[in-house]
PDB file of all heavy atoms in Angstrom:
ATOM      1  N   PRO A 154     -52.848-176.849 109.776  1.00  0.00           N
ATOM      2  CA  PRO A 154     -52.493-178.270 109.720  1.00  0.00           C
ATOM      3  C   PRO A 154     -50.989-178.504 109.883  1.00  0.00           C
ATOM      4  O   PRO A 154     -50.558-179.630 110.141  1.00  0.00           O
ATOM      5  CB  PRO A 154     -52.978-178.698 108.350  1.00  0.00           C
ATOM      6  CG  PRO A 154     -52.893-177.476 107.529  1.00  0.00           C
ATOM      7  CD  PRO A 154     -53.204-176.340 108.434  1.00  0.00           C
ATOM      8  N   VAL A 220     -70.467-162.225 107.442  1.00  0.00           N
ATOM      9  CA  VAL A 220     -69.548-161.245 106.889  1.00  0.00           C
ATOM     10  C   VAL A 220     -69.259-161.590 105.432  1.00  0.00           C
ATOM     11  O   VAL A 220     -68.926-162.754 105.120  1.00  0.00           O
ATOM     12  CB  VAL A 220     -68.230-161.189 107.681  1.00  0.00           C
ATOM     13  CG1 VAL A 220     -67.269-160.186 107.041  1.00  0.00           C
ATOM     14  CG2 VAL A 220     -68.501-160.843 109.149  1.00  0.00           C
ATOM     15  N   GLY A 238     -65.410-163.861  99.227  1.00  0.00           N
ATOM     16  CA  GLY A 238     -66.041-164.986  99.909  1.00  0.00           C
ATOM     17  C   GLY A 238     -66.877-164.525 101.084  1.00  0.00           C
ATOM     18  O   GLY A 238     -67.215-163.341 101.225  1.00  0.00           O
ATOM     19  N   THR A 239     -67.234-165.491 101.932  1.00  0.00           N
ATOM     20  CA  THR A 239     -68.076-165.213 103.090  1.00  0.00           C
ATOM     21  C   THR A 239     -67.463-165.880 104.324  1.00  0.00           C
ATOM     22  O   THR A 239     -66.736-166.870 104.253  1.00  0.00           O
ATOM     23  CB  THR A 239     -69.495-165.772 102.881  1.00  0.00           C
ATOM     24  OG1 THR A 239     -69.435-167.188 102.637  1.00  0.00           O
ATOM     25  CG2 THR A 239     -70.176-165.066 101.726  1.00  0.00           C
ATOM     26  N   LEU A 240     -67.793-165.288 105.464  1.00  0.00           N
ATOM     27  CA  LEU A 240     -67.396-165.797 106.764  1.00  0.00           C
ATOM     28  C   LEU A 240     -68.583-165.765 107.701  1.00  0.00           C
ATOM     29  O   LEU A 240     -69.222-164.711 107.866  1.00  0.00           O
ATOM     30  CB  LEU A 240     -66.243-164.961 107.338  1.00  0.00           C
ATOM     31  CG  LEU A 240     -65.910-165.153 108.809  1.00  0.00           C
ATOM     32  CD1 LEU A 240     -65.375-166.554 109.069  1.00  0.00           C
ATOM     33  CD2 LEU A 240     -64.870-164.113 109.273  1.00  0.00           C
ATOM     34  N   LEU A 241     -68.883-166.890 108.304  1.00  0.00           N
ATOM     35  CA  LEU A 241     -69.946-166.962 109.320  1.00  0.00           C
ATOM     36  C   LEU A 241     -69.273-167.128 110.671  1.00  0.00           C
ATOM     37  O   LEU A 241     -68.680-168.158 110.958  1.00  0.00           O
ATOM     38  CB  LEU A 241     -70.877-168.134 109.049  1.00  0.00           C
ATOM     39  CG  LEU A 241     -72.108-168.269 109.977  1.00  0.00           C
ATOM     40  CD1 LEU A 241     -72.996-167.038 109.879  1.00  0.00           C
ATOM     41  CD2 LEU A 241     -72.907-169.527 109.658  1.00  0.00           C
ATOM     42  N   ILE A 242     -69.336-166.080 111.496  1.00  0.00           N
ATOM     43  CA  ILE A 242     -68.603-166.056 112.762  1.00  0.00           C
ATOM     44  C   ILE A 242     -69.360-166.855 113.815  1.00  0.00           C
ATOM     45  O   ILE A 242     -70.504-166.580 114.130  1.00  0.00           O
ATOM     46  CB  ILE A 242     -68.416-164.616 113.258  1.00  0.00           C
ATOM     47  CG1 ILE A 242     -67.693-163.792 112.195  1.00  0.00           C
ATOM     48  CG2 ILE A 242     -67.639-164.579 114.566  1.00  0.00           C
ATOM     49  CD1 ILE A 242     -67.574-162.317 112.546  1.00  0.00           C
ATOM     50  N   GLY A 243     -68.681-167.838 114.382  1.00  0.00           N
ATOM     51  CA  GLY A 243     -69.253-168.650 115.463  1.00  0.00           C
ATOM     52  C   GLY A 243     -68.682-168.246 116.797  1.00  0.00           C
ATOM     53  O   GLY A 243     -67.964-167.254 116.937  1.00  0.00           O
ATOM     54  N   THR A 245     -66.519-169.976 118.476  1.00  0.00           N
ATOM     55  CA  THR A 245     -65.106-170.366 118.486  1.00  0.00           C
ATOM     56  C   THR A 245     -64.627-170.491 117.037  1.00  0.00           C
ATOM     57  O   THR A 245     -65.416-170.425 116.086  1.00  0.00           O
ATOM     58  CB  THR A 245     -64.894-171.691 119.220  1.00  0.00           C
ATOM     59  OG1 THR A 245     -65.615-172.720 118.544  1.00  0.00           O
ATOM     60  CG2 THR A 245     -65.401-171.598 120.664  1.00  0.00           C
ATOM     61  N   ALA A 246     -63.296-170.687 116.879  1.00  0.00           N
ATOM     62  CA  ALA A 246     -62.743-170.879 115.551  1.00  0.00           C
ATOM     63  C   ALA A 246     -63.289-172.148 114.881  1.00  0.00           C
ATOM     64  O   ALA A 246     -63.502-172.188 113.660  1.00  0.00           O
ATOM     65  CB  ALA A 246     -61.228-170.928 115.624  1.00  0.00           C
ATOM     66  N   SER A 247     -63.552-173.175 115.679  1.00  0.00           N
ATOM     67  CA  SER A 247     -64.049-174.434 115.139  1.00  0.00           C
ATOM     68  C   SER A 247     -65.509-174.337 114.696  1.00  0.00           C
ATOM     69  O   SER A 247     -65.970-175.171 113.908  1.00  0.00           O
ATOM     70  CB  SER A 247     -63.891-175.562 116.157  1.00  0.00           C
ATOM     71  OG  SER A 247     -64.621-175.251 117.350  1.00  0.00           O
ATOM     72  N   SER A 248     -66.253-173.340 115.162  1.00  0.00           N
ATOM     73  CA  SER A 248     -67.642-173.165 114.738  1.00  0.00           C
ATOM     74  C   SER A 248     -67.811-171.982 113.766  1.00  0.00           C
ATOM     75  O   SER A 248     -68.916-171.668 113.395  1.00  0.00           O
ATOM     76  CB  SER A 248     -68.535-172.939 115.958  1.00  0.00           C
ATOM     77  OG  SER A 248     -68.174-171.761 116.648  1.00  0.00           O
ATOM     78  N   SER A 249     -66.698-171.384 113.352  1.00  0.00           N
ATOM     79  CA  SER A 249     -66.752-170.292 112.377  1.00  0.00           C
ATOM     80  C   SER A 249     -66.429-170.862 110.987  1.00  0.00           C
ATOM     81  O   SER A 249     -65.382-171.469 110.790  1.00  0.00           O
ATOM     82  CB  SER A 249     -65.736-169.208 112.733  1.00  0.00           C
ATOM     83  OG  SER A 249     -66.004-168.671 113.998  1.00  0.00           O
ATOM     84  N   ARG A 250     -67.330-170.659 110.042  1.00  0.00           N
ATOM     85  CA  ARG A 250     -67.178-171.291 108.736  1.00  0.00           C
ATOM     86  C   ARG A 250     -66.806-170.242 107.665  1.00  0.00           C
ATOM     87  O   ARG A 250     -67.237-169.098 107.706  1.00  0.00           O
ATOM     88  CB  ARG A 250     -68.495-171.989 108.352  1.00  0.00           C
ATOM     89  CG  ARG A 250     -68.955-173.027 109.369  1.00  0.00           C
ATOM     90  CD  ARG A 250     -69.932-174.008 108.755  1.00  0.00           C
ATOM     91  NE  ARG A 250     -69.331-174.769 107.673  1.00  0.00           N
ATOM     92  CZ  ARG A 250     -68.609-175.895 107.860  1.00  0.00           C
ATOM     93  NH1 ARG A 250     -68.379-176.355 109.075  1.00  0.00           N
ATOM     94  NH2 ARG A 250     -68.105-176.542 106.809  1.00  0.00           N
ATOM     95  N   ILE A 251     -65.979-170.705 106.721  1.00  0.00           N
ATOM     96  CA  ILE A 251     -65.500-169.870 105.635  1.00  0.00           C
ATOM     97  C   ILE A 251     -65.831-170.483 104.291  1.00  0.00           C
ATOM     98  O   ILE A 251     -65.914-171.712 104.153  1.00  0.00           O
ATOM     99  CB  ILE A 251     -63.990-169.604 105.743  1.00  0.00           C
ATOM    100  CG1 ILE A 251     -63.224-170.938 105.790  1.00  0.00           C
ATOM    101  CG2 ILE A 251     -63.642-168.749 106.944  1.00  0.00           C
ATOM    102  CD1 ILE A 251     -61.733-170.780 105.811  1.00  0.00           C
ATOM    103  N   LYS A 252     -66.009-169.635 103.287  1.00  0.00           N
ATOM    104  CA  LYS A 252     -66.233-170.083 101.919  1.00  0.00           C
ATOM    105  C   LYS A 252     -65.694-169.014 100.985  1.00  0.00           C
ATOM    106  O   LYS A 252     -66.285-167.952 100.839  1.00  0.00           O
ATOM    107  CB  LYS A 252     -67.718-170.337 101.663  1.00  0.00           C
ATOM    108  CG  LYS A 252     -67.991-170.978 100.286  1.00  0.00           C
ATOM    109  CD  LYS A 252     -69.469-171.269 100.111  1.00  0.00           C
ATOM    110  CE  LYS A 252     -69.705-171.930  98.756  1.00  0.00           C
ATOM    111  NZ  LYS A 252     -71.157-172.234  98.542  1.00  0.00           N
ATOM    112  N   PHE A 253     -64.535-169.301 100.376  1.00  0.00           N
ATOM    113  CA  PHE A 253     -63.846-168.328  99.536  1.00  0.00           C
ATOM    114  C   PHE A 253     -63.578-168.900  98.142  1.00  0.00           C
ATOM    115  O   PHE A 253     -63.318-170.104  98.003  1.00  0.00           O
ATOM    116  CB  PHE A 253     -62.511-167.916 100.152  1.00  0.00           C
ATOM    117  CG  PHE A 253     -62.623-166.910 101.254  1.00  0.00           C
ATOM    118  CD1 PHE A 253     -63.025-167.280 102.533  1.00  0.00           C
ATOM    119  CD2 PHE A 253     -62.372-165.567 101.003  1.00  0.00           C
ATOM    120  CE1 PHE A 253     -63.128-166.348 103.536  1.00  0.00           C
ATOM    121  CE2 PHE A 253     -62.489-164.617 102.019  1.00  0.00           C
ATOM    122  CZ  PHE A 253     -62.876-165.007 103.274  1.00  0.00           C
ATOM    123  N   THR A 254     -63.637-168.046  97.159  1.00  0.00           N
ATOM    124  CA  THR A 254     -63.187-168.340  95.822  1.00  0.00           C
ATOM    125  C   THR A 254     -61.932-167.509  95.553  1.00  0.00           C
ATOM    126  O   THR A 254     -61.954-166.279  95.642  1.00  0.00           O
ATOM    127  CB  THR A 254     -64.272-168.009  94.782  1.00  0.00           C
ATOM    128  OG1 THR A 254     -65.430-168.795  95.024  1.00  0.00           O
ATOM    129  CG2 THR A 254     -63.763-168.291  93.372  1.00  0.00           C
ATOM    130  N   LEU A 255     -60.817-168.189  95.239  1.00  0.00           N
ATOM    131  CA  LEU A 255     -59.555-167.534  95.052  1.00  0.00           C
ATOM    132  C   LEU A 255     -59.012-167.756  93.661  1.00  0.00           C
ATOM    133  O   LEU A 255     -59.223-168.838  93.069  1.00  0.00           O
ATOM    134  CB  LEU A 255     -58.503-168.044  96.068  1.00  0.00           C
ATOM    135  CG  LEU A 255     -58.877-167.935  97.544  1.00  0.00           C
ATOM    136  CD1 LEU A 255     -57.796-168.604  98.394  1.00  0.00           C
ATOM    137  CD2 LEU A 255     -59.042-166.484  97.958  1.00  0.00           C
ATOM    138  N   LEU A 285     -59.106-171.648  92.905  1.00  0.00           N
ATOM    139  CA  LEU A 285     -59.097-172.486  94.093  1.00  0.00           C
ATOM    140  C   LEU A 285     -60.286-172.142  94.971  1.00  0.00           C
ATOM    141  O   LEU A 285     -60.764-170.983  94.999  1.00  0.00           O
ATOM    142  CB  LEU A 285     -57.804-172.244  94.917  1.00  0.00           C
ATOM    143  CG  LEU A 285     -56.492-172.574  94.224  1.00  0.00           C
ATOM    144  CD1 LEU A 285     -55.317-172.082  95.104  1.00  0.00           C
ATOM    145  CD2 LEU A 285     -56.364-174.058  93.957  1.00  0.00           C
ATOM    146  N   ASN A 286     -60.780-173.125  95.705  1.00  0.00           N
ATOM    147  CA  ASN A 286     -61.880-172.930  96.672  1.00  0.00           C
ATOM    148  C   ASN A 286     -61.363-173.223  98.084  1.00  0.00           C
ATOM    149  O   ASN A 286     -60.756-174.244  98.326  1.00  0.00           O
ATOM    150  CB  ASN A 286     -63.054-173.850  96.349  1.00  0.00           C
ATOM    151  CG  ASN A 286     -63.778-173.467  95.074  1.00  0.00           C
ATOM    152  OD1 ASN A 286     -63.791-172.300  94.697  1.00  0.00           O
ATOM    153  ND2 ASN A 286     -64.328-174.437  94.382  1.00  0.00           N
ATOM    154  N   LEU A 287     -61.616-172.279  98.992  1.00  0.00           N
ATOM    155  CA  LEU A 287     -61.231-172.428 100.393  1.00  0.00           C
ATOM    156  C   LEU A 287     -62.506-172.488 101.230  1.00  0.00           C
ATOM    157  O   LEU A 287     -63.320-171.566 101.217  1.00  0.00           O
ATOM    158  CB  LEU A 287     -60.371-171.254 100.837  1.00  0.00           C
ATOM    159  CG  LEU A 287     -59.832-171.281 102.263  1.00  0.00           C
ATOM    160  CD1 LEU A 287     -58.863-172.436 102.461  1.00  0.00           C
ATOM    161  CD2 LEU A 287     -59.163-169.960 102.633  1.00  0.00           C
ATOM    162  N   SER A 288     -62.676-173.589 101.973  1.00  0.00           N
ATOM    163  CA  SER A 288     -63.891-173.779 102.749  1.00  0.00           C
ATOM    164  C   SER A 288     -63.550-174.459 104.082  1.00  0.00           C
ATOM    165  O   SER A 288     -62.407-174.687 104.403  1.00  0.00           O
ATOM    166  CB  SER A 288     -64.901-174.592 101.953  1.00  0.00           C
ATOM    167  OG  SER A 288     -64.373-175.884 101.647  1.00  0.00           O
ATOM    168  N   GLY A 289     -64.603-174.808 104.832  1.00  0.00           N
ATOM    169  CA  GLY A 289     -64.393-175.450 106.116  1.00  0.00           C
ATOM    170  C   GLY A 289     -64.501-174.470 107.271  1.00  0.00           C
ATOM    171  O   GLY A 289     -65.236-173.472 107.196  1.00  0.00           O
ATOM    172  N   THR A 290     -63.792-174.760 108.352  1.00  0.00           N
ATOM    173  CA  THR A 290     -63.805-173.907 109.525  1.00  0.00           C
ATOM    174  C   THR A 290     -62.473-173.150 109.643  1.00  0.00           C
ATOM    175  O   THR A 290     -61.499-173.495 108.973  1.00  0.00           O
ATOM    176  CB  THR A 290     -64.022-174.744 110.805  1.00  0.00           C
ATOM    177  OG1 THR A 290     -62.955-175.700 110.928  1.00  0.00           O
ATOM    178  CG2 THR A 290     -65.345-175.492 110.706  1.00  0.00           C
ATOM    179  N   LEU A 291     -62.434-172.145 110.509  1.00  0.00           N
ATOM    180  CA  LEU A 291     -61.238-171.356 110.656  1.00  0.00           C
ATOM    181  C   LEU A 291     -60.080-172.197 111.186  1.00  0.00           C
ATOM    182  O   LEU A 291     -58.905-171.942 110.822  1.00  0.00           O
ATOM    183  CB  LEU A 291     -61.494-170.176 111.599  1.00  0.00           C
ATOM    184  CG  LEU A 291     -62.196-168.962 111.006  1.00  0.00           C
ATOM    185  CD1 LEU A 291     -62.397-167.876 112.042  1.00  0.00           C
ATOM    186  CD2 LEU A 291     -61.435-168.417 109.811  1.00  0.00           C
ATOM    187  N   ASP A 292     -60.338-173.136 112.041  1.00  0.00           N
ATOM    188  CA  ASP A 292     -59.254-173.956 112.580  1.00  0.00           C
ATOM    189  C   ASP A 292     -58.879-175.122 111.683  1.00  0.00           C
ATOM    190  O   ASP A 292     -57.787-175.667 111.795  1.00  0.00           O
ATOM    191  CB  ASP A 292     -59.611-174.466 114.001  1.00  0.00           C
ATOM    192  CG  ASP A 292     -60.817-175.374 113.981  1.00  0.00           C
ATOM    193  OD1 ASP A 292     -61.629-175.290 113.040  1.00  0.00           O
ATOM    194  OD2 ASP A 292     -60.937-176.163 114.930  1.00  0.00           O
ATOM    195  N   LYS A 293     -59.780-175.501 110.753  1.00  0.00           N
ATOM    196  CA  LYS A 293     -59.464-176.588 109.807  1.00  0.00           C
ATOM    197  C   LYS A 293     -59.924-176.220 108.419  1.00  0.00           C
ATOM    198  O   LYS A 293     -60.894-176.770 107.881  1.00  0.00           O
ATOM    199  CB  LYS A 293     -60.141-177.893 110.274  1.00  0.00           C
ATOM    200  CG  LYS A 293     -59.588-178.440 111.573  1.00  0.00           C
ATOM    201  CD  LYS A 293     -60.273-179.756 111.955  1.00  0.00           C
ATOM    202  CE  LYS A 293     -59.701-180.311 113.249  1.00  0.00           C
ATOM    203  NZ  LYS A 293     -60.353-181.598 113.632  1.00  0.00           N
ATOM    204  N   PRO A 294     -59.251-175.277 107.758  1.00  0.00           N
ATOM    205  CA  PRO A 294     -59.635-174.894 106.402  1.00  0.00           C
ATOM    206  C   PRO A 294     -59.280-175.982 105.385  1.00  0.00           C
ATOM    207  O   PRO A 294     -58.310-176.733 105.570  1.00  0.00           O
ATOM    208  CB  PRO A 294     -58.823-173.602 106.150  1.00  0.00           C
ATOM    209  CG  PRO A 294     -57.644-173.742 107.052  1.00  0.00           C
ATOM    210  CD  PRO A 294     -58.114-174.479 108.282  1.00  0.00           C
ATOM    211  N   ILE A 295     -60.048-176.044 104.331  1.00  0.00           N
ATOM    212  CA  ILE A 295     -59.840-177.043 103.272  1.00  0.00           C
ATOM    213  C   ILE A 295     -59.677-176.304 101.938  1.00  0.00           C
ATOM    214  O   ILE A 295     -60.540-175.511 101.533  1.00  0.00           O
ATOM    215  CB  ILE A 295     -61.043-178.017 103.172  1.00  0.00           C
ATOM    216  CG1 ILE A 295     -61.226-178.738 104.518  1.00  0.00           C
ATOM    217  CG2 ILE A 295     -60.816-179.019 102.048  1.00  0.00           C
ATOM    218  CD1 ILE A 295     -62.497-179.590 104.557  1.00  0.00           C
ATOM    219  N   LEU A 296     -58.557-176.569 101.260  1.00  0.00           N
ATOM    220  CA  LEU A 296     -58.260-175.922  99.977  1.00  0.00           C
ATOM    221  C   LEU A 296     -58.348-176.946  98.872  1.00  0.00           C
ATOM    222  O   LEU A 296     -57.705-177.984  98.919  1.00  0.00           O
ATOM    223  CB  LEU A 296     -56.849-175.297 100.019  1.00  0.00           C
ATOM    224  CG  LEU A 296     -56.430-174.473  98.812  1.00  0.00           C
ATOM    225  CD1 LEU A 296     -57.315-173.237  98.670  1.00  0.00           C
ATOM    226  CD2 LEU A 296     -54.948-174.061  98.940  1.00  0.00           C
ATOM    227  N   LYS A 297     -59.217-176.637  97.866  1.00  0.00           N
ATOM    228  CA  LYS A 297     -59.433-177.563  96.742  1.00  0.00           C
ATOM    229  C   LYS A 297     -59.359-176.790  95.433  1.00  0.00           C
ATOM    230  O   LYS A 297     -59.594-175.592  95.404  1.00  0.00           O
ATOM    231  CB  LYS A 297     -60.791-178.254  96.877  1.00  0.00           C
ATOM    232  CG  LYS A 297     -60.919-179.185  98.058  1.00  0.00           C
ATOM    233  CD  LYS A 297     -62.293-179.847  98.058  1.00  0.00           C
ATOM    234  CE  LYS A 297     -62.435-180.846  99.202  1.00  0.00           C
ATOM    235  NZ  LYS A 297     -63.806-181.481  99.190  1.00  0.00           N
TER     236      LYS A 297
END
Side-chain angles (χ1 to χ4, degrees):
V220 178
T239 58
L240 166 65
L241 185 61
I242 303 174
T245 62
S247 60
S248 62
S249 300
R250 304 200 62 85
I251 55 176
K252 186 177 181 180
F253 280 79
T254 299
L255 304 175
L285 299 172
N286 291 330
L287 182 65
S288 60
T290 61
L291 280 180
D292 64 336
K293 293 182 179 180
I295 301 173
L296 186 63
K297 294 182 178 180

